[in-house]
Amino acid sequence: MEKSSTKVNFKLQNLRKEKNMSCEDMAKELGICKAYYWQLENGNRRLYYDLTLKIAKIFNLKPDDIFYDYYK
């Protein structure tokens, strides 16, 4: 599988670190294995919208906030 790092991958990692959570913590919250979550953050897996909904809820964000940067 080809790796594709994007802003989304970096955003996931930064959000997780800001909340002092490990990949294992995120995986447990999402109901997936640690390896799968790690692959999401590192661009080895595609982030689908249904999982984005769960991630957004953890960080009290809207799903679009994960995919897009808004400039104020």
Side-chain angles (χ1 to χ4, degrees):
M1 177 176 284
E2 185 177 321
K3 184 175 179 175
S4 63
S5 293
T6 65
K7 289 182 181 183
V8 172
N9 305 109
F10 294 116
K11 187 177 272 189
L12 286 178
Q13 190 175 57
N14 289 333
L15 287 168
R16 176 180 59 78
K17 287 180 178 181
E18 285 174 8
K19 198 162 180 175
N20 295 316
M21 295 178 77
S22 67
C23 286
E24 188 170 354
D25 295 333
M26 285 297 297
K28 285 180 184 178
E29 288 282 328
L30 296 169
I32 59 176
C33 72
K34 176 183 165 185
Y36 189 92
Y37 184 79
W38 184 90
Q39 291 173 347
L40 288 172
E41 274 194 8
N42 288 280
N44 296 325
R45 293 270 183 171
R46 184 176 299 211
L47 179 60
Y48 292 101
Y49 199 75
D50 60 336
L51 197 52
T52 304
L53 291 172
K54 293 178 183 180
I55 292 170
K57 187 174 181 180
I58 291 170
F59 296 118
N60 198 28
L61 297 171
K62 295 176 186 171
D64 287 349
D65 294 337
I66 293 172
F67 290 111
Y68 301 105
D69 288 328
Y70 297 101
Y71 299 99
K72 296 178 182 178

